[in-house]
Amino acid sequence: VDPTRNKGYTLPVSWEGVLDRADLCFFGFQYNVTEEEILDAERKFGRPLNQFRDLNYKDDFESAIAMLSLMDIVISPDTTMFELAGAMGIPTICMTVGPTGHYGMRERFPFYPSVHVITCDSVDEDATDLLKRLPSALDHMIRNIQNYIQPAEWREAVARAT
């Protein structure tokens, strides 16, 4: 992934305060990340960034959704992964670079109550600015996880529909 391609993307090596947390295990779903970028992050943070290497995240939605359903929390830029996680009721942090947020939503996303949105404060900011706010957003979600988890009946209905 080339962050110059889109100001909403970052490299895994720039996720300080998140990927270096010893209390969490991380799985990457980003489909254009290179092996070198993963290894750089693993060296920097001293821990693995797990990847489902045989999974085609871009073209095999069924398998991607199956693996995504196993996650306790999802952190995603404003992409399909956040939409899928939100639709499944998985607690999710969506990082969106627009100062008005995704569809104008600045914190909560009414279509997906399990999603917390963090946005840029101005048009001059990009995803690296969001990464500075991500550790506190993640701490907040972990402390208040019950506010983001959808009722079991809702998640079962989603599972039956997919």
Side-chain angles (χ1 to χ4, degrees):
V1 173
D2 180 3
T4 59
R5 172 176 70 105
N6 183 318
K7 68 180 196 169
Y9 289 88
T10 59
L11 296 172
V13 75
S14 59
W15 283 55
E16 285 120 22
V18 177
L19 292 182
D20 52 355
R21 290 183 61 146
D23 59 330
L24 302 174
C25 180
F26 293 94
F27 292 84
F29 284 83
Q30 198 166 352
Y31 60 81
N32 281 339
V33 68
T34 68
E35 188 69 26
E36 182 181 338
E37 291 166 347
I38 293 168
L39 291 172
D40 286 346
E42 289 177 343
R43 280 189 293 272
K44 178 175 183 174
F45 300 121
R47 54 178 309 168
L49 177 56
N50 301 294
Q51 299 280 309
F52 302 106
R53 286 181 168 78
D54 296 335
L55 182 62
N56 181 339
Y57 302 108
K58 186 176 181 182
D59 297 320
D60 184 358
F61 261 30
E62 192 172 294
S63 296
I65 290 169
M67 299 313 287
L68 191 62
S69 73
L70 301 174
M71 302 298 115
D72 294 320
I73 294 175
V74 171
I75 302 170
S76 175
D78 190 354
T79 65
T80 302
M81 283 299 170
F82 120 76
E83 300 264 3
L84 293 172
M88 292 190 294
I90 300 168
T92 301
I93 297 172
C94 172
M95 301 183 305
T96 183
V97 295
T100 59
H102 188 81
Y103 299 124
M105 303 301 139
R106 297 256 326 148
E107 283 190 30
R108 292 307 289 261
F109 197 69
F111 308 118
Y112 310 127
S114 65
V115 174
H116 176 77
V117 180
I118 58 174
T119 63
C120 292
D121 291 331
S122 75
V123 293
D124 297 325
E125 289 188 324
D126 61 19
T128 57
D129 297 296
L130 292 176
L131 286 178
K132 296 171 191 167
R133 293 193 278 284
L134 183 57
S136 63
L138 180 58
D139 286 339
H140 179 268
M141 181 168 275
I142 291 169
R143 280 192 314 274
N144 299 286
I145 197 74
Q146 292 305 317
N147 296 334
Y148 294 94
I149 295 176
Q150 298 304 301
E153 309 82 52
W154 188 86
R155 290 187 80 161
E156 290 167 9
V158 170
R160 283 192 302 275
T162 54

